Amino acid sequence: MSAGEDVIRSYQGLMDAINNGLIVLDAQSNIYIGNKWFNRHCEYAMEEKYGYCVYDLFPELKNSRINDAIDNTFEFGYPTFLSNIFTPTPFPLYQPKNFDEDHFSDKRIQQQIIVSRLEQAGKYYCLIQINDVTAAIAREHTLEQEITERKFIEDALLESEIKHLTIMEKMIDGLVVFNKAGFIESFNPACETLFGYSESGIIGRSVSTLFEGLNGPETNAETSDIDSDFAVDENFIGAYREIIAIKNNREKFDVELSISNMKIGEKVFYTAIIRDITERKQIDKLKTEFISTVSHELRTPLTSIRGSLGLICGGAVDPATDKAYELIKIAHNNCDRLVFLINDILDMEKIAANGLQYDIGRHNLRSLINRCIDENQSYADEYKVCYRLAADDKNFEADIDSHRFMQVIANLLSNAAKFSNANDVVDIRLLEKDGEYLIQVQDYGEGIPDTFKETIWSKFTQADASTTRRKGGTGLGLTISRALVLAMGGKIWFESTLGEGTTFIISLPASENKVVNA
Amino acid sequence: MVNQIQLPPLEEDMLKELFNIGVGKAAASLSQMINQEISLSVPKVTIEKIDKLVALLGADKEIVSISQDVEGPFGARSMLLFHEESSMKVVKLMLGKQMPDEMLAELQEEALTEIGNIVLNACIGAISNAMKESFNVDIPSFQQAKPEQVFAGNNLESESTILLLEIDLTLKESDVTGYLALIFGSDALTNLQDAIGRMLTKLGAA
């Protein structure tokens, strides 16, 4: 062994201490020296393999890029840097064995290799440095995944934000978001147009600045406790209600307002949707005015027609023939009907305008109901229906407007007759329960379909348009009845089973001192 | 040394031919590495001053350089230069498009170092082989900065002479221009010319 060879081999101890793979090949690609690092990563004890050809130890290196690199090093003397990116695991080297394992796992370590030339005593050697980058790669992968995930989340977030923004921006309805303390957090462009505030100008102010009579904190956010809850008007939660809104210039206008609450994380927010109904209100008003004008104008001539016909029918004037009398009788009856209809319409308009006068006094309900039954019997006869009153033996005295009460009962009686089958009975019961008087009007007709139950109290509705034709009526009766009963401090509701009939129930307080909402 | 260096046409041809062989080898190893077709154009060879190269690259543009020192019959520094955006393109093309940009930036240095290593070594190998001369080459080093800083970091003065090869790296549909520069010390260019002269003599051409 020459002195030159000694120089390289004298570094054995130093090389063994290095935590990288180091291997030196001689010009024949035989292993000249290798460090102990290899012993931990492959089945060979490297110091026993000196003199073996590297391609015999690791056959798969033959014709690999390592092979090229070794050849080039000897031939041209230049070093080669093999990145893990392009050739991740050139050497068949594995993760170190655990103490209880017989074999290496089949998981190769990721390597980064530098092949370079050494010159010692006129001879060329090839130094291969192997750097285990497995841990670094794993870290990179985690990082990569994290980045990808974060990117994905960010993208999703951005997308939803954009969507959200677009929805808010493009909405025709006003959208205001306010926090649980009642201070405005966001204000969409539609709102800016409606109210004349800029978003930046209104944020942080109380939601009550926008509406007349809506609950809200008194002061601005700076001076008031942000964390204190304020009570949102329950009426507006989940339903559209009309309210008067106030513009920046103090001008007032009609809107529909609906508030819903939402939870973002732990925070509670309210979103208010505002719809401008100024135009609709105007149209409504026009319609109302039109109807009431027309009705008044119709009633004036009708009154004189009815009066004249009444005089003839009553015998004040002699109808020329019996035939003429019959015809005049028909005309008189229909005149009565027309007057009822027009009165209904006028009542409705008055109720809507809160203009109906009530003449409240103490009355006996039983005698009023009896009168109603008498008056409606002729109408019921047309449907071959008879009324049957059953009353508890009590003194049913209540504070009501007798005329309006009879109007309600008459309406219920005529309805019951109208929707009964021929030869049926309509049961009317008068009873006392828990300090209230209950008046029940029960028919055994076809009943009210479920779909119709919700709209029964609305104007101009009947179960289906065809019943209007069959049974007659404007569909205003129940609407008016309800308004009247409510005004007299009572309640009205119904129970109905399809095919078995309907019971309308009115309850009136029996107490003597009650406030009348006229 | 004269200001405007001009190689005799025969010597220039010889150099071009040498680099051609080298670049061809480089292309072959690159293709093998990434399993797709790659072509490197015939290089344009010029001899310039460093400041000319700075101007060519654009003084205010970020560039990346992979450099390897060469020691032998002549001493030189070989450098592969890309514009920063081109270099990202190269890395992206080689590593695949599904890789997120953040990762590409992380891997850029290592990937480019290897690419530079292959291209530079192929050229130097070709030269050394053809000249039948032996060279010692250093391990490649990576740098990313403005051109002036890159050259300043390499202790090169603006007056230094360089042998500049312009090569186009074409990978599938997109192509990228890179510059390969051999930067010589004060007398190295003369040594190179001597070496070429010897070679031509051996070939019996001159």
Side-chain angles (χ1 to χ4, degrees):
Chain A
M1 194 181 282
S2 77
E5 287 168 348
D6 274 343
V7 172
I8 292 177
R9 286 212 167 130
S10 66
Y11 290 121
Q12 180 76 59
L14 181 63
M15 284 169 70
D16 285 344
I18 289 172
N19 194 26
N20 277 340
L22 290 174
I23 189 168
V24 177
L25 306 179
D26 64 19
Q28 286 74 46
S29 299
N30 294 331
I31 292 171
Y32 186 71
I33 186 172
N35 68 352
K36 282 221 158 57
W37 181 89
F38 282 95
N39 304 10
R40 293 196 295 278
H41 294 281
C42 68
E43 298 287 358
Y44 304 122
M46 202 44 81
E47 62 270 23
E48 292 164 12
K49 298 294 177 188
Y50 292 172
Y52 285 79
C53 177
V54 74
Y55 303 117
D56 292 340
L57 286 186
F58 306 110
E60 64 186 87
L61 292 186
K62 193 85 196 149
N63 297 324
S64 70
R65 284 199 67 228
I66 299 277
N67 194 165
D68 281 351
I70 293 168
D71 292 349
N72 287 338
T73 298
F74 281 123
E75 194 173 347
F76 309 117
Y78 58 66
T80 301
F81 170 83
L82 275 92
S83 159
N84 170 267
I85 297 168
F86 301 114
T87 28
T89 59
F91 276 88
L93 298 170
Y94 303 91
Q95 303 276 17
K97 279 191 283 200
N98 284 332
F99 66 92
D100 56 349
E101 285 168 350
D102 290 342
H103 296 283
F104 284 101
S105 71
D106 52 1
K107 247 187 135 181
R108 287 197 184 197
I109 56 167
Q110 306 263 324
Q111 301 149 45
Q112 190 183 59
I113 290 173
I114 294 171
V115 180
S116 53
R117 188 169 71 176
L118 294 177
E119 194 183 342
Q120 192 60 51
K123 277 187 173 173
Y124 286 138
Y125 299 89
C126 174
L127 170 67
I128 302 171
Q129 306 173 47
I130 303 170
N131 194 2
D132 179 1
V133 291
T134 314
I137 298 294
R139 215 161 35 233
E140 262 174 27
H141 274 297
T142 323
L143 204 71
E144 181 187 345
Q145 261 170 12
E146 259 172 38
I147 289 168
T148 321
E149 267 165 37
R150 187 151 17 122
K151 216 174 152 189
F152 180 77
I153 291 167
E154 274 170 11
D155 284 354
L157 214 71
L158 191 73
E159 199 182 321
S160 87
E161 204 155 281
I162 289 169
K163 239 188 233 166
H164 184 86
L165 267 179
T166 326
I167 291 170
M168 277 194 69
E169 301 275 312
K170 301 285 179 206
M171 250 174 98
I172 299 167
D173 290 341
L175 182 70
V176 176
V177 178
F178 55 97
N179 57 26
K180 65 177 174 130
F183 297 111
I184 294 167
E185 300 245 332
S186 103
F187 202 69
N188 79 341
C191 267
E192 293 182 336
T193 324
L194 274 180
F195 287 91
Y197 289 102
S198 69
E199 186 176 14
S200 53
I202 193 76
I203 280 179
R205 290 176 66 178
S206 166
V207 69
S208 59
T209 29
L210 298 176
F211 303 102
E212 198 173 74
L214 185 75
N215 290 350
E218 291 293 314
T219 40
N220 279 350
E222 295 100 51
T223 53
S224 155
D225 186 6
I226 298 264
D227 292 328
S228 70
D229 295 8
F230 90 102
V232 176
D233 214 328
E234 289 287 332
N235 279 334
F236 293 100
I237 300 275
Y240 277 107
R241 298 264 183 269
E242 289 179 17
I243 192 168
I244 292 168
I246 311 159
K247 287 190 183 181
N248 197 7
N249 58 11
R250 315 305 304 157
E251 207 178 291
K252 292 177 181 176
F253 63 110
D254 289 304
V255 294
E256 267 182 352
L257 172 67
S258 168
I259 299 176
S260 51
N261 49 7
M262 56 179 183
K263 229 173 165 183
I264 299 175
E266 285 300 297
K267 282 183 150 185
V268 176
F269 290 96
Y270 295 96
T271 52
I273 295 174
I274 299 140
R275 191 170 291 163
D276 187 359
I277 54 165
T278 315
E279 207 172 311
R280 206 176 75 196
K281 274 271 177 186
Q282 272 170 354
I283 291 169
D284 253 11
K285 210 174 142 211
L286 272 175
K287 196 189 79 193
T288 310
E289 279 170 7
F290 173 74
I291 290 173
S292 92
T293 315
V294 166
S295 309
H296 270 292
E297 295 304 316
L298 285 176
R299 203 163 68 154
T300 318
L302 195 61
T303 313
S304 51
I305 294 170
R306 186 170 167 243
S308 309
L309 292 171
L311 283 173
I312 298 172
C313 286
V317 180
D318 180 29
T321 60
D322 286 351
K323 197 89 180 165
Y325 178 78
E326 281 300 313
L327 291 173
I328 285 166
K329 184 96 182 144
I330 293 171
H332 185 232
N333 278 343
N334 279 292
C335 245
D336 279 349
R337 249 183 89 192
L338 196 53
V339 169
F340 275 128
L341 289 179
I342 291 174
N343 281 347
D344 267 3
I345 293 171
L346 285 173
D347 279 351
M348 197 62 239
E349 297 311 325
K350 276 189 202 148
I351 289 166
N354 266 340
L356 210 57
Q357 298 296 318
Y358 295 90
D359 179 18
I360 305 290
R362 177 132 328 165
H363 296 278
N364 186 302
L365 298 182
R366 191 205 304 251
S367 59
L368 290 177
I369 291 170
N370 265 324
R371 262 173 67 191
C372 281
I373 290 174
D374 288 346
E375 282 174 18
N376 273 279
Q377 194 54 58
S378 62
Y379 180 78
D381 288 344
E382 285 177 37
Y383 292 95
K384 296 194 174 67
V385 171
C386 72
Y387 296 119
R388 187 164 68 193
L389 176 66
D392 288 356
D393 191 16
K394 279 211 176 83
N395 187 23
F396 291 100
E397 296 232 312
D399 294 322
I400 48 167
D401 179 325
S402 60
H403 174 66
R404 294 302 178 188
F405 177 75
M406 282 173 72
Q407 193 182 336
V408 172
I409 299 298
N411 178 245
L412 294 186
L413 291 181
S414 63
N415 273 353
K418 197 155 54 176
F419 293 102
S420 283
N421 300 317
N423 302 319
D424 267 356
V425 173
V426 171
D427 273 317
I428 302 123
R429 281 180 287 272
L430 183 56
L431 37 111
E432 190 186 358
K433 196 183 174 191
D434 304 331
E436 285 184 325
Y437 296 138
L438 296 183
I439 303 137
Q440 300 176 341
V441 179
Q442 183 171 18
D443 69 59
Y444 303 96
E446 51 201 77
I448 301 164
D450 283 348
T451 48
F452 185 57
K453 282 179 178 166
E454 284 177 21
T455 54
I456 193 162
W457 304 109
S458 321
K459 292 180 206 174
F460 305 109
T461 48
Q462 280 193 340
D464 71 273
S466 63
T467 54
T468 314
R469 296 284 154 270
R470 263 195 297 136
K471 315 280 186 185
T474 50
L476 279 174
L478 283 175
T479 319
I480 293 170
S481 296
R482 184 158 89 136
L484 295 177
V485 171
L486 289 176
M488 289 188 282
K491 276 185 281 208
I492 182 168
W493 69 95
F494 65 90
E495 288 153 9
S496 180
T497 314
L498 208 58
E500 289 178 19
T502 309
T503 309
F504 275 89
I505 303 143
I506 297 171
S507 79
L508 284 169
S511 74
E512 287 172 26
N513 303 313
K514 61 187 170 52
V515 183
V516 174
N517 179 20
Chain B
M1 201 180 283
V2 282
N3 254 354
Q4 187 62 47
I5 308 141
Q6 198 91 56
L7 284 175
L10 194 61
E11 288 181 17
E12 193 186 311
D13 274 356
M14 189 71 219
L15 265 181
K16 263 192 195 168
E17 192 52 42
L18 285 181
F19 285 124
N20 240 341
I21 297 164
V23 167
K25 283 191 81 168
S29 27
L30 278 181
S31 310
Q32 187 198 336
M33 210 162 79
I34 57 169
N35 279 327
Q36 54 178 295
E37 204 171 310
I38 186 169
S39 69
L40 296 170
S41 71
V42 177
K44 271 187 277 181
V45 180
T46 42
I47 289 177
E48 304 282 4
K49 298 275 185 204
I50 286 241
D51 47 4
K52 193 83 183 280
L53 179 59
V54 171
L56 184 70
L57 290 166
D60 53 351
K61 277 195 175 165
E62 283 272 299
I63 59 161
V64 297
S65 92
I66 305 100
S67 56
Q68 271 184 297
D69 279 346
V70 181
E71 239 357 282
F74 58 89
R77 171 160 300 160
S78 61
M79 296 177 98
L80 183 64
L81 306 159
F82 290 107
H83 282 125
E84 202 263 336
E85 70 265 21
S86 301
S87 77
M88 281 299 280
K89 227 184 210 171
V90 173
V91 176
K92 195 164 192 139
L93 285 166
M94 294 196 147
L95 297 181
K97 288 189 172 117
Q98 72 282 3
M99 190 85 71
D101 284 356
E102 291 86 348
M103 283 318 293
L104 281 183
E106 302 243 331
L107 298 175
Q108 183 197 22
E109 177 172 343
E110 203 178 320
L112 282 174
T113 306
E114 181 155 1
I115 293 163
N117 189 208
I118 291 165
V119 176
L120 294 174
N121 283 346
C123 291
I124 295 158
I127 294 171
S128 115
N129 211 16
M131 288 180 174
K132 304 264 187 289
E133 307 268 9
S134 155
F135 291 91
N136 280 322
V137 187
D138 259 5
I139 292 163
S141 74
F142 177 92
Q143 245 186 314
Q144 177 172 356
K146 297 264 160 60
E148 271 180 356
Q149 291 164 292
V150 168
F151 296 121
N154 280 298
N155 292 323
L156 297 169
E157 296 144 20
S158 60
E159 283 298 297
S160 302
T161 314
I162 54 170
L163 179 76
L164 181 68
L165 291 104
E166 216 177 309
I167 51 169
D168 290 329
L169 184 76
T170 315
L171 224 146
K172 275 195 174 160
E173 63 266 19
S174 72
D175 59 331
V176 174
T177 304
Y179 302 89
L180 198 152
L182 278 177
I183 302 171
F184 300 99
S186 48
D187 55 350
L189 196 62
T190 343
N191 290 348
L192 173 68
Q193 279 180 291
D194 286 351
I196 296 174
R198 279 204 298 280
M199 211 175 120
L200 288 170
T201 322
K202 274 184 207 161
L203 289 172

PDB file of all heavy atoms in Angstrom, chain A residues 314-329:
ATOM      1  N   GLY A 314    -145.274  47.650  -0.531  1.00  0.00           N
ATOM      2  CA  GLY A 314    -146.008  47.829   0.722  1.00  0.00           C
ATOM      3  C   GLY A 314    -147.467  48.217   0.492  1.00  0.00           C
ATOM      4  O   GLY A 314    -148.241  48.343   1.433  1.00  0.00           O
ATOM      5  N   GLY A 315    -147.853  48.449  -0.745  1.00  0.00           N
ATOM      6  CA  GLY A 315    -149.244  48.738  -1.050  1.00  0.00           C
ATOM      7  C   GLY A 315    -149.579  50.214  -1.034  1.00  0.00           C
ATOM      8  O   GLY A 315    -150.744  50.599  -1.183  1.00  0.00           O
ATOM      9  N   ALA A 316    -148.594  51.090  -0.871  1.00  0.00           N
ATOM     10  CA  ALA A 316    -148.858  52.520  -0.874  1.00  0.00           C
ATOM     11  C   ALA A 316    -149.322  52.979  -2.259  1.00  0.00           C
ATOM     12  O   ALA A 316    -150.097  53.911  -2.394  1.00  0.00           O
ATOM     13  CB  ALA A 316    -147.618  53.286  -0.447  1.00  0.00           C
ATOM     14  N   VAL A 317    -148.771  52.316  -3.256  1.00  0.00           N
ATOM     15  CA  VAL A 317    -149.172  52.628  -4.640  1.00  0.00           C
ATOM     16  C   VAL A 317    -149.673  51.321  -5.248  1.00  0.00           C
ATOM     17  O   VAL A 317    -149.109  50.251  -4.983  1.00  0.00           O
ATOM     18  CB  VAL A 317    -147.989  53.186  -5.449  1.00  0.00           C
ATOM     19  CG1 VAL A 317    -148.413  53.503  -6.871  1.00  0.00           C
ATOM     20  CG2 VAL A 317    -147.415  54.421  -4.768  1.00  0.00           C
ATOM     21  N   ASP A 318    -150.643  51.404  -6.054  1.00  0.00           N
ATOM     22  CA  ASP A 318    -151.245  50.196  -6.603  1.00  0.00           C
ATOM     23  C   ASP A 318    -150.469  49.688  -7.807  1.00  0.00           C
ATOM     24  O   ASP A 318    -150.329  50.401  -8.804  1.00  0.00           O
ATOM     25  CB  ASP A 318    -152.687  50.511  -7.027  1.00  0.00           C
ATOM     26  CG  ASP A 318    -153.369  49.288  -7.603  1.00  0.00           C
ATOM     27  OD1 ASP A 318    -153.004  48.155  -7.191  1.00  0.00           O
ATOM     28  OD2 ASP A 318    -154.216  49.469  -8.496  1.00  0.00           O
ATOM     29  N   PRO A 319    -149.900  48.501  -7.705  1.00  0.00           N
ATOM     30  CA  PRO A 319    -149.289  47.924  -8.904  1.00  0.00           C
ATOM     31  C   PRO A 319    -150.415  47.550  -9.864  1.00  0.00           C
ATOM     32  O   PRO A 319    -151.438  47.005  -9.431  1.00  0.00           O
ATOM     33  CB  PRO A 319    -148.562  46.690  -8.386  1.00  0.00           C
ATOM     34  CG  PRO A 319    -149.213  46.347  -7.108  1.00  0.00           C
ATOM     35  CD  PRO A 319    -149.885  47.558  -6.571  1.00  0.00           C
ATOM     36  N   ALA A 320    -150.251  47.858 -11.136  1.00  0.00           N
ATOM     37  CA  ALA A 320    -151.326  47.729 -12.117  1.00  0.00           C
ATOM     38  C   ALA A 320    -151.911  46.312 -12.116  1.00  0.00           C
ATOM     39  O   ALA A 320    -153.121  46.115 -12.036  1.00  0.00           O
ATOM     40  CB  ALA A 320    -150.815  48.085 -13.502  1.00  0.00           C
ATOM     41  N   THR A 321    -151.061  45.326 -12.166  1.00  0.00           N
ATOM     42  CA  THR A 321    -151.560  43.943 -12.233  1.00  0.00           C
ATOM     43  C   THR A 321    -150.814  43.073 -11.220  1.00  0.00           C
ATOM     44  O   THR A 321    -149.779  43.482 -10.670  1.00  0.00           O
ATOM     45  CB  THR A 321    -151.311  43.345 -13.630  1.00  0.00           C
ATOM     46  OG1 THR A 321    -149.899  43.378 -13.854  1.00  0.00           O
ATOM     47  CG2 THR A 321    -152.035  44.113 -14.707  1.00  0.00           C
ATOM     48  N   ASP A 322    -151.259  41.864 -10.997  1.00  0.00           N
ATOM     49  CA  ASP A 322    -150.567  40.905 -10.134  1.00  0.00           C
ATOM     50  C   ASP A 322    -149.206  40.546 -10.703  1.00  0.00           C
ATOM     51  O   ASP A 322    -148.226  40.356  -9.987  1.00  0.00           O
ATOM     52  CB  ASP A 322    -151.395  39.620  -9.972  1.00  0.00           C
ATOM     53  CG  ASP A 322    -152.590  39.852  -9.045  1.00  0.00           C
ATOM     54  OD1 ASP A 322    -152.626  40.949  -8.441  1.00  0.00           O
ATOM     55  OD2 ASP A 322    -153.421  38.942  -8.941  1.00  0.00           O
ATOM     56  N   LYS A 323    -149.150  40.420 -12.012  1.00  0.00           N
ATOM     57  CA  LYS A 323    -147.907  40.098 -12.718  1.00  0.00           C
ATOM     58  C   LYS A 323    -146.851  41.163 -12.418  1.00  0.00           C
ATOM     59  O   LYS A 323    -145.699  40.862 -12.090  1.00  0.00           O
ATOM     60  CB  LYS A 323    -148.202  40.019 -14.217  1.00  0.00           C
ATOM     61  CG  LYS A 323    -147.157  39.315 -15.003  1.00  0.00           C
ATOM     62  CD  LYS A 323    -147.447  37.824 -15.077  1.00  0.00           C
ATOM     63  CE  LYS A 323    -146.374  37.141 -15.891  1.00  0.00           C
ATOM     64  NZ  LYS A 323    -146.404  35.679 -15.709  1.00  0.00           N
ATOM     65  N   ALA A 324    -147.309  42.444 -12.526  1.00  0.00           N
ATOM     66  CA  ALA A 324    -146.392  43.557 -12.259  1.00  0.00           C
ATOM     67  C   ALA A 324    -145.910  43.510 -10.812  1.00  0.00           C
ATOM     68  O   ALA A 324    -144.732  43.755 -10.519  1.00  0.00           O
ATOM     69  CB  ALA A 324    -147.084  44.881 -12.558  1.00  0.00           C
ATOM     70  N   TYR A 325    -146.821  43.171  -9.881  1.00  0.00           N
ATOM     71  CA  TYR A 325    -146.460  43.085  -8.466  1.00  0.00           C
ATOM     72  C   TYR A 325    -145.352  42.047  -8.255  1.00  0.00           C
ATOM     73  O   TYR A 325    -144.371  42.301  -7.548  1.00  0.00           O
ATOM     74  CB  TYR A 325    -147.698  42.721  -7.639  1.00  0.00           C
ATOM     75  CG  TYR A 325    -147.389  42.566  -6.168  1.00  0.00           C
ATOM     76  CD1 TYR A 325    -147.216  43.687  -5.352  1.00  0.00           C
ATOM     77  CD2 TYR A 325    -147.226  41.300  -5.609  1.00  0.00           C
ATOM     78  CE1 TYR A 325    -146.916  43.537  -4.019  1.00  0.00           C
ATOM     79  CE2 TYR A 325    -146.920  41.155  -4.264  1.00  0.00           C
ATOM     80  CZ  TYR A 325    -146.771  42.280  -3.474  1.00  0.00           C
ATOM     81  OH  TYR A 325    -146.466  42.141  -2.151  1.00  0.00           O
ATOM     82  N   GLU A 326    -145.486  40.889  -8.899  1.00  0.00           N
ATOM     83  CA  GLU A 326    -144.463  39.840  -8.796  1.00  0.00           C
ATOM     84  C   GLU A 326    -143.100  40.358  -9.239  1.00  0.00           C
ATOM     85  O   GLU A 326    -142.079  40.143  -8.578  1.00  0.00           O
ATOM     86  CB  GLU A 326    -144.852  38.620  -9.663  1.00  0.00           C
ATOM     87  CG  GLU A 326    -145.900  37.716  -9.034  1.00  0.00           C
ATOM     88  CD  GLU A 326    -145.438  37.140  -7.708  1.00  0.00           C
ATOM     89  OE1 GLU A 326    -144.273  36.642  -7.634  1.00  0.00           O
ATOM     90  OE2 GLU A 326    -146.205  37.226  -6.705  1.00  0.00           O
ATOM     91  N   LEU A 327    -143.139  41.028 -10.404  1.00  0.00           N
ATOM     92  CA  LEU A 327    -141.873  41.532 -10.961  1.00  0.00           C
ATOM     93  C   LEU A 327    -141.255  42.579 -10.039  1.00  0.00           C
ATOM     94  O   LEU A 327    -140.039  42.589  -9.789  1.00  0.00           O
ATOM     95  CB  LEU A 327    -142.099  42.120 -12.354  1.00  0.00           C
ATOM     96  CG  LEU A 327    -142.435  41.101 -13.443  1.00  0.00           C
ATOM     97  CD1 LEU A 327    -142.801  41.807 -14.743  1.00  0.00           C
ATOM     98  CD2 LEU A 327    -141.254  40.168 -13.685  1.00  0.00           C
ATOM     99  N   ILE A 328    -142.117  43.445  -9.500  1.00  0.00           N
ATOM    100  CA  ILE A 328    -141.619  44.501  -8.620  1.00  0.00           C
ATOM    101  C   ILE A 328    -141.055  43.884  -7.339  1.00  0.00           C
ATOM    102  O   ILE A 328    -140.022  44.318  -6.807  1.00  0.00           O
ATOM    103  CB  ILE A 328    -142.730  45.523  -8.328  1.00  0.00           C
ATOM    104  CG1 ILE A 328    -142.914  46.389  -9.578  1.00  0.00           C
ATOM    105  CG2 ILE A 328    -142.364  46.415  -7.147  1.00  0.00           C
ATOM    106  CD1 ILE A 328    -144.171  47.202  -9.580  1.00  0.00           C
ATOM    107  N   LYS A 329    -141.675  42.812  -6.886  1.00  0.00           N
ATOM    108  CA  LYS A 329    -141.198  42.096  -5.689  1.00  0.00           C
ATOM    109  C   LYS A 329    -139.774  41.549  -5.914  1.00  0.00           C
ATOM    110  O   LYS A 329    -138.884  41.690  -5.065  1.00  0.00           O
ATOM    111  CB  LYS A 329    -142.168  40.936  -5.395  1.00  0.00           C
ATOM    112  CG  LYS A 329    -141.858  40.178  -4.135  1.00  0.00           C
ATOM    113  CD  LYS A 329    -142.682  40.703  -2.979  1.00  0.00           C
ATOM    114  CE  LYS A 329    -142.324  39.950  -1.703  1.00  0.00           C
ATOM    115  NZ  LYS A 329    -142.364  40.798  -0.527  1.00  0.00           N
TER     116      LYS A 329
END
